[in-house]
């Protein structure tokens, strides 16, 4: 289809009084339109960024890694892993050693507090032994007559009360006494002073206690001094 478009305005020529001027009609300009669809322009491709360009250049410039280099890297990683395991093991051992040291230190402090009076208490045992020996050697028939032997009875009772009070004091501080009479002889808690055959007694048992034994918080302070029944067969 053809359309005619006037490119200018057609004016009628006119004449003025002074001068006649003639205007020419400009030529017609024709514009032709095609029925075919105009092809759409392709979208513009975005320009590559500077970062991607640099990465591409680095990839192109990077040298190729050989198989030998890969093996070296694997060997280095293996060595580093082994070193890391070694350091981790050493660290765990150090933690365990530190915990053991703290435990031992705590135990030593507790033992020091518990057994601080051990030497002092052991010295007091000699006094207890003397008091017991004094009580043991008082004839029982003299104690029976409290009127005639009033002074002796009073002295006996005073010594016995002193011994009992001293034993209670030791017990308050964790010191306990034991008497192994008529019990099997135990070398861990008793010291045999002598052996003798005793009719009617079981061989290997304690038949006499010269000094009682003492312990402090489960630890042997002094073993008992005893006499043990001798086995006639020598066993």
């Amino acid at each position: 289809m053809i359309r005619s478009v006037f490119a200018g305005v057609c004016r009628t020529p006119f004449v003025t009084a002074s001068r006649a001027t003639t205007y020419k009609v400009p030529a017609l300009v024709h514009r032709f339109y095609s029925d075919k669809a105009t092809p759409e322009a392709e979208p513009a491709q975005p320009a590559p960024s500077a970062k991607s360009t640099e990465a591409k250049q680095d990839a192109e410039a990077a040298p190729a890694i050989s198989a030998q280099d890969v093996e070296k890297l694997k060997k280095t990683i293996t060595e580093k892993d082994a070193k890391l395991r070694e350091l981790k093991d050493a660290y765990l051992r150090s933690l365990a050693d530190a915990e053991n040291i703290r435990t031992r230190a705590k135990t030593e402090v507790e033992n020091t507090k518990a057994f601080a009076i051990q030497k002092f208490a052991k010295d007091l045992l000699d006094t207890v032994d003397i008091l017991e020996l004094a009580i043991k050697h008082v004839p029982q028939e003299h104690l029976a007559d409290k009127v005639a032997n009033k002074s002796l009875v009073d002295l006996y009772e005073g010594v016995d009360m002193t011994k009992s009070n001293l034993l209670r004091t030791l017990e308050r501080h964790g010191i306990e006494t034991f008497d192994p009479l008529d019990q099997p002889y135990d070398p861990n808690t008793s010291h045999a002073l002598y052996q003798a055959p005793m009719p009617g007694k079981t061989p290997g048992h304690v038949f006499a206690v010269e000094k009682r034994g003492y312990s402090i918080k489960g630890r042997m302070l002094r073993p008992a001094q005893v006499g043990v029944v001798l086995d006639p067969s020598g066993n």
Side-chain angles (χ1 to χ4, degrees):
M1 180 176 58
I2 301 174
R3 295 181 181 178
S4 297
V5 180
F6 288 101
V9 179
C10 180
R11 297 184 178 179
T12 305
F14 60 92
V15 178
T16 58
S18 62
R19 182 179 178 182
T21 304
T22 303
Y23 290 89
K24 293 182 180 180
V25 178
L28 296 177
V29 178
H30 300 280
R31 179 175 296 176
F32 298 93
Y33 293 89
S34 176
D35 294 335
K36 296 182 180 180
T38 303
E40 296 181 357
E42 295 182 358
Q45 297 294 333
S49 62
K51 185 178 295 185
S52 61
T53 303
E54 292 178 359
K56 184 176 180 181
Q57 292 176 355
D58 293 342
E60 293 176 353
I65 300 177
S66 63
Q68 186 177 2
D69 294 336
V70 173
E71 292 298 328
K72 288 182 179 180
L73 290 175
K74 289 182 178 180
K75 184 178 179 181
T76 302
I77 293 174
T78 303
E79 292 176 353
K80 296 296 183 182
D81 290 342
K83 185 64 175 179
L84 180 61
R85 287 193 297 268
E86 182 180 352
L87 293 175
K88 183 178 180 180
D89 182 69
Y91 172 70
L92 294 177
R93 289 178 181 273
S94 300
L95 290 180
D97 292 340
E99 183 64 25
N100 292 335
I101 291 174
R102 284 194 294 268
T103 302
R104 286 197 299 268
K106 182 179 179 180
T107 303
E108 289 178 0
V109 170
E110 293 176 353
N111 289 339
T112 301
K113 292 179 180 179
F115 304 112
I117 64 169
Q118 180 174 350
K119 187 176 184 303
F120 175 71
K122 194 171 184 178
D123 291 339
L124 286 180
L125 298 183
D126 294 335
T127 303
V128 177
D129 294 337
I130 292 173
L131 295 176
E132 288 184 342
L133 188 62
I135 293 173
K136 182 179 179 180
H137 284 80
V138 175
Q140 293 298 318
E141 59 271 16
H142 293 175
L143 297 177
D145 191 354
K146 296 183 179 180
V147 177
N149 301 313
K150 185 178 182 304
S151 298
L152 180 60
V153 172
D154 292 342
L155 178 61
Y156 177 89
E157 291 178 351
V159 172
D160 185 62
M161 290 175 62
T162 303
K163 184 204 74 170
S164 299
N165 186 59
L166 183 56
L167 289 176
R168 285 194 297 270
T169 301
L170 294 175
E171 186 176 356
R172 284 197 300 269
H173 290 83
I175 300 171
E176 299 178 351
T177 180
F178 61 92
D179 189 345
L181 183 64
D182 295 331
Q183 296 180 6
Y185 173 71
D186 184 2
N188 296 319
T189 59
S190 301
H191 174 63
L193 297 177
Y194 51 87
Q195 289 181 306
M198 297 294 294
K201 296 287 186 178
T202 304
H205 280 55
V206 176
F207 71 91
V209 178
E210 300 299 332
K211 292 183 179 180
R212 291 189 292 178
Y214 293 89
S215 63
I216 176 170
K217 297 186 182 298
R219 179 186 295 183
M220 187 57 55
L221 183 61
R222 191 191 71 179
Q225 298 180 8
V226 300
V228 183
V229 179
L230 180 64
D231 188 354
S233 62
N235 294 329

